[in-house]
Amino acid sequence: MRDRLLDAVERLLVKGGVDAVRLDAVASEAGVSKGGLLHHFPSKHALVEGVVQRLVDRFEAVLPDPGAPPGAYTRAWLDASIPAAAPEEGDELPDEVPVALLAAAGGPEVLDVLRRHYRRWQERLEADGLAPGVSSLVRMAVDGWWTARLLGLAAPRGASHEQLRELVSRLIDESAAPAADPDAAPGTPPDTRRFADPDTGRVGQDGGQDTERGGLDVGPDIGPGAERAAGGRGEASGETV
């Protein structure tokens, strides 16, 4: 019964906004008596808050648990929010985000529900193991895309949509750490992790690759006879070669 009532509230929110959510209208939309409605939801506020909480639960169900590989949480955030295929004019899209935004107009208490969850989600995004700012940028792209669609603000369509989606997706892939140090603290961004050189197998700080890759060898195994790349000159046992 609760889901039946919340389904009715969602339909009313999408069709007429929060002003359309009246107890008698919800009861009629759901096909139940007003008394049956009040048994589960004693007020309009409780109805709208129930819709928001259910949407939050559904969204969190597709997000990975802590401990997932770097970028997994950000990737799931994108995949759950923006379709890969460009929507055509008049296409129906999932109503979760518009409904949540409309429901937020139900008052500060309802908005506080969303704020609490967004604070926690943002913390998870920032600890997703990507370069600083990448996960937040992805979230801003998602929020902006849905806001543009909801308000009719020339949201990207067709090839523009697909190009935008691909850019955001590639940003996640390129920012994910390729070989993170298992001892690194969760959420350590890639530029402070240790990486394994694919050619030599050696592990060092990002930016400290072997001389074969054109960088400066600062590994701990440098010893007499080892070459250092320095302007095309090598140095061995204190002699210039």
Side-chain angles (χ1 to χ4, degrees), residues 179-182 193-198 200-206 208-210 217-221:
D181 181 359
R193 290 183 185 269
R194 289 155 52 87
F195 292 89
D197 188 302
T200 67
R202 293 181 54 197
V203 177
Q205 292 292 336
D206 184 28
Q209 293 87 355
D210 292 337
D217 190 339
V218 293
D221 56 344

Side-chain angles (χ1 to χ4, degrees), residues 31-52:
V32 302
S33 67
K34 191 171 181 179
L37 165 63
L38 293 173
H39 175 72
H40 294 281
F41 298 98
S43 67
K44 171 180 175 176
H45 171 81
L47 280 167
V48 176
E49 189 174 47
V51 166
V52 172

